[in-house]
Amino acid sequence: MKLASLKSARDGQLLVVNQDLSRCIDASDIAPTLQAALDNWSVCAPLLEARHQALTKQTASGMTFEAGRCASPLPRAFHWADASAYVNHVELVRKARNAEMPATFWTDPLMYQGGSDCFIGPTDAIDLIDESWGLDFEAEVAVVLDDVPMGVSVEQAAHHIVLLMLVNDISLRNLIPAELAKGFGFYQSKPSSAFSPVAVSLDELGDHWLDGKLHLPLRARLNETLIGEPNAGQDMTFDFPTLISHAAKTRPLCAGTIIGSGTVSNLDRSKGSCCLAEVRMLEIFADGKATTEFLQVGDRVRIDMLDNQAQSIFGSIDQQVQRYSRVT
Amino acid sequence: MKLASLKSARDGQLLVVNQDLSRCIDASDIAPTLQAALDNWSVCAPLLEARHQALTKQTASGMTFEAGRCASPLPRAFHWADASAYVNHVELVRKARNAEMPATFWTDPLMYQGGSDCFIGPTDAIDLIDESWGLDFEAEVAVVLDDVPMGVSVEQAAHHIVLLMLVNDISLRNLIPAELAKGFGFYQSKPSSAFSPVAVSLDELGDHWLDGKLHLPLRARLNETLIGEPNAGQDMTFDFPTLISHAAKTRPLCAGTIIGSGTVSNLDRSKGSCCLAEVRMLEIFADGKATTEFLQVGDRVRIDMLDNQAQSIFGSIDQQVQRYSRVT
């Protein structure tokens, strides 16, 4: 099944969406919001699945699905932790600044806690105060979990994945070095993220969901230019169950927790990149300097994933950068 | 007014509590949960205040208040960011490991994003898998906010503080060095935090709330030993409005955001400490080695704050460490 949240109040109104994203139907009688459904997932999931079947078989009428009227599937969440599971990408970042990568990075996942109180919608503008901050997109895959006990094993963790989404993990690259140098991790350099219009259950992904990874190309476009379409199932050093077990080592994870993959990146450079920072690093290696600029006001970023029939699975994250006037 | 959350479902049931914490009254007809009240604060706050007045004047009957039946005021929150605003404490930590502190630490706040999906209750046990992880408490003050726009000024930020609480920011000290060395900040080393039974509006604090700081001693006890009672209003380098403005530099903050002060610490060492790590650092300076152990299974931590009449303002965080069996 596919689920979305119509913009409404703070937490949206739960919708069931059909396979080709053309039709949808209200599901707020089953659970008013996606978070409410996740809070009571074992009861709600079969009901939502039945509604999805009815919509598919056209025994329920529904209405036209409009991604532009949707919030992120979880308009706000209690837990958003983003990993950096494509370690070749991390190695590249380090190499670009002549820093060696510790060998443990291949065995011990990198993960940071992100801001989850104000996600922006999939087609909402990205508000930017200052272009000199180095605004970048990061195209990623993310999983949504039911309740996960503290100390969960990798094997058990796999059973707690209930939905998948795409993410634009928006980053302010020029704020990162000074912030990380302070030692407490990202905060100001990672403003609100945006998620795909639709969250999708594992059965919708067929054979593409295998070994805790999603084996399909993730497409990132800037204005009319394809920036990359690396396969999210390739070169992912840590699969999602491993990331979940890492996250739950010292605490339980509440239903509705979102775990991100980090920027998707393939060793095969012909596949392009899922963020501008990687494009710039490759330019530095090739030409000694980066020529691609970070995002400017007016730029448009699109992130999506197509199935074998060239059908968008999650809908498009489609965002334009706009200038924000600082409140005083 | 004083507010608490009776343990009930995932988000508790909103209670209004009287000044001396002896009586309380249901407020779930005004808003079912504290988060719901914060989501609609301008409407709910006057209604909650009126209920508080009725309880105080005994025109509303109420029932006995039992902190042991309470969750943290926000049992889960969408945003929990913890600062390290007592910079002399940070300097001490650094000195103990012979690391110089950058001068910018006096002007640019340290802040990390904490896990907020599963706060533990004020009198709940602290579940510990492994004593070798170096479990420590950190006694702090925290503010709860209404909606804060991105780019808010320090001056305006002060107007967004609606409630205060105490925090036990539980830390796993022996996991911190390796985690911070990875560069992404705290994650496994900062498990679920606990908050005081009661959240308190600013008017309850009278003259003790001044210049964006809470000027009262914060008391931390381990078993029957007083560990410290430094004044939270002294030596706080960054006041709460400054911390809020820092947090909102690149994103808005959703209603119900919690901002913590970091471990309270005074330059006057006779006031003791609000965490065991500081006790151990002072032992290292004095004797060349730390003799105080981190928390063991069975240890009891109490954190509270008394007013001039020796009346507990927030109720006590009162937690015992218990062994947790790892799920496989």
Side-chain angles (χ1 to χ4, degrees):
Chain A
M1 65 186 159
K2 301 193 176 191
L3 302 173
S5 291
L6 190 66
K7 284 185 179 181
S8 169
R10 292 182 182 264
D11 294 297
Q13 176 190 330
L14 186 58
L15 297 178
V16 168
V17 185
N18 71 347
Q19 194 270 334
D20 72 1
L21 310 183
S22 62
R23 309 280 299 161
C24 65
I25 188 165
D26 176 55
S28 60
D29 57 316
I30 297 172
T33 66
L34 180 53
Q35 181 64 50
L38 290 160
D39 283 346
N40 194 20
W41 190 245
S42 61
V43 170
C44 293
L47 300 172
L48 294 168
E49 180 57 40
R51 180 84 36 109
H52 184 253
Q53 291 297 331
L55 184 66
T56 302
K57 292 171 184 155
Q58 298 183 316
T59 55
S61 60
M63 54 194 169
T64 303
F65 176 67
E66 297 172 77
R69 295 180 62 201
C70 288
S72 283
L74 288 165
R76 51 182 182 176
F78 294 105
H79 194 157
W80 155 232
D82 198 16
S84 197
Y86 299 82
V87 177
N88 62 293
H89 167 81
V90 180
E91 199 173 33
L92 206 62
V93 180
R94 293 258 174 166
K95 211 177 273 176
R97 58 171 205 252
N98 289 314
E100 207 168 323
M101 191 181 77
T104 55
F105 278 28
W106 291 103
T107 53
D108 180 27
L110 279 173
M111 188 173 283
Y112 80 91
Q113 179 104 27
S116 58
D117 56 326
C118 294
F119 292 140
I120 50 183
T123 64
D124 286 353
I126 302 170
D127 282 327
L128 180 62
I129 290 178
D130 188 338
E131 285 180 333
S132 77
W133 289 347
L135 180 67
D136 198 0
F137 62 87
E138 291 190 7
E140 311 187 4
V141 175
V143 293
V144 182
L145 311 178
D146 63 7
D147 286 298
V148 178
M150 175 156 75
V152 74
S153 66
V154 172
E155 192 184 11
Q156 281 301 313
H159 302 297
H160 293 286
I161 300 171
V162 298
L163 297 169
L164 270 86
M165 308 187 288
L166 306 182
V167 197
N168 181 7
D169 178 45
I170 296 164
S171 298
L172 298 167
R173 298 292 182 189
N174 296 337
L175 300 186
I176 291 179
E179 190 154 61
L180 292 195
K182 290 159 68 179
F184 271 34
F186 305 102
Y187 191 86
Q188 293 178 334
S189 52
K190 291 282 188 181
S192 309
S193 302
F195 294 82
S196 51
V198 165
V200 164
S201 59
L202 300 184
D203 59 292
E204 292 281 339
L205 300 163
D207 296 342
H208 301 302
W209 176 254
L210 185 70
D211 296 334
K213 303 176 188 181
L214 181 52
H215 294 262
L216 279 170
L218 179 62
R219 182 168 65 168
R221 288 174 288 178
L222 171 57
N223 301 318
E224 298 313 312
T225 307
L226 176 70
I227 303 296
E229 45 186 350
N231 191 305
Q234 284 168 26
D235 308 315
M236 189 184 187
T237 309
F238 305 105
D239 58 23
F240 280 109
T242 301
L243 297 177
I244 296 163
S245 176
H246 179 88
K249 179 179 173 181
T250 64
R251 50 171 157 176
L253 311 177
C254 170
T257 290
I258 306 168
I259 306 279
S261 66
T263 308
V264 174
S265 179
N266 286 170
L267 282 166
D268 177 357
R269 291 285 156 228
S270 73
K271 300 300 183 188
S273 297
C274 273
C275 68
L276 297 178
E278 190 174 288
V279 172
R280 289 166 55 89
M281 285 183 285
L282 294 169
E283 289 170 348
I284 290 171
F285 291 139
D287 312 318
K289 66 183 170 75
T291 50
T292 296
E293 297 287 335
F294 287 121
L295 299 173
Q296 306 293 310
V297 169
D299 278 342
R300 180 183 178 197
V301 176
R302 282 179 290 173
I303 296 168
D304 59 5
M305 182 177 271
L306 307 182
D307 65 17
N308 292 345
Q309 286 73 47
Q311 166 63 46
S312 177
I313 298 173
F314 300 93
S316 288
I317 297 174
D318 186 346
Q319 305 186 277
Q320 201 156 16
V321 181
Q322 78 178 10
R323 189 174 306 283
Y324 176 85
S325 295
R326 190 190 294 262
V327 175
T328 52
Chain B
M1 64 184 157
K2 301 193 175 191
L3 302 173
S5 291
L6 191 66
K7 284 185 179 180
S8 170
R10 292 181 183 264
D11 294 298
Q13 177 189 330
L14 185 59
L15 298 177
V16 168
V17 185
N18 71 348
Q19 194 272 334
D20 72 1
L21 310 183
S22 62
R23 310 280 298 162
C24 64
I25 188 164
D26 177 53
S28 60
D29 57 317
I30 297 172
T33 66
L34 180 53
Q35 181 64 51
L38 290 159
D39 283 345
N40 194 19
W41 190 246
S42 62
V43 170
C44 293
L47 300 173
L48 294 169
E49 179 58 38
R51 180 88 33 111
H52 184 253
Q53 291 296 331
L55 184 67
T56 301
K57 291 171 184 157
Q58 299 184 317
T59 53
S61 60
M63 53 194 171
T64 302
F65 176 68
E66 296 172 78
R69 295 180 61 202
C70 288
S72 284
L74 288 165
R76 54 183 180 173
F78 293 104
H79 194 156
W80 155 230
D82 198 16
S84 197
Y86 299 82
V87 178
N88 61 292
H89 167 81
V90 180
E91 198 172 34
L92 206 62
V93 179
R94 294 260 174 162
K95 211 177 273 177
R97 57 171 206 253
N98 288 315
E100 207 167 322
M101 191 181 77
T104 55
F105 278 28
W106 291 103
T107 53
D108 180 27
L110 280 172
M111 188 174 284
Y112 80 92
Q113 180 105 25
S116 57
D117 56 326
C118 295
F119 292 139
I120 50 182
T123 65
D124 286 352
I126 302 170
D127 283 328
L128 181 62
I129 289 178
D130 188 338
E131 285 180 334
S132 77
W133 288 347
L135 180 68
D136 198 0
F137 62 87
E138 290 190 7
E140 310 186 5
V141 175
V143 293
V144 182
L145 311 179
D146 62 9
D147 287 298
V148 179
M150 175 156 75
V152 74
S153 67
V154 172
E155 191 184 10
Q156 281 302 313
H159 302 297
H160 292 286
I161 300 171
V162 297
L163 297 169
L164 271 87
M165 309 187 288
L166 306 181
V167 196
N168 181 8
D169 178 44
I170 296 165
S171 299
L172 298 167
R173 297 292 182 189
N174 296 337
L175 301 187
I176 291 179
E179 191 154 59
L180 292 196
K182 290 159 68 180
F184 271 33
F186 304 103
Y187 191 87
Q188 293 178 333
S189 52
K190 292 282 187 180
S192 308
S193 302
F195 293 81
S196 51
V198 166
V200 165
S201 59
L202 299 183
D203 59 290
E204 291 282 340
L205 300 163
D207 296 343
H208 302 302
W209 176 254
L210 186 68
D211 296 334
K213 304 176 185 180
L214 181 51
H215 294 263
L216 278 170
L218 179 62
R219 183 167 65 167
R221 289 175 286 177
L222 170 58
N223 301 319
E224 299 312 312
T225 307
L226 176 70
I227 302 297
E229 45 186 348
N231 191 305
Q234 284 169 25
D235 307 315
M236 188 184 189
T237 309
F238 305 105
D239 58 24
F240 280 108
T242 301
L243 298 177
I244 296 162
S245 176
H246 179 88
K249 181 180 173 182
T250 63
R251 50 171 155 176
L253 311 176
C254 170
T257 290
I258 307 168
I259 305 279
S261 66
T263 308
V264 174
S265 179
N266 285 169
L267 282 166
D268 176 357
R269 292 285 155 228
S270 73
K271 301 299 182 188
S273 297
C274 273
C275 68
L276 296 178
E278 189 174 290
V279 171
R280 289 167 54 90
M281 284 183 284
L282 294 169
E283 288 171 348
I284 290 171
F285 291 138
D287 311 319
K289 66 184 170 79
T291 50
T292 296
E293 298 286 336
F294 286 122
L295 298 173
Q296 306 293 312
V297 170
D299 278 342
R300 180 184 179 196
V301 176
R302 281 179 290 173
I303 296 168
D304 59 6
M305 182 177 270
L306 307 181
D307 65 16
N308 292 345
Q309 287 74 47
Q311 166 64 44
S312 178
I313 298 172
F314 300 93
S316 287
I317 296 174
D318 186 346
Q319 304 186 277
Q320 200 156 17
V321 182
Q322 78 179 10
R323 190 175 304 283
Y324 176 85
S325 296
R326 190 189 292 262
V327 176
T328 54

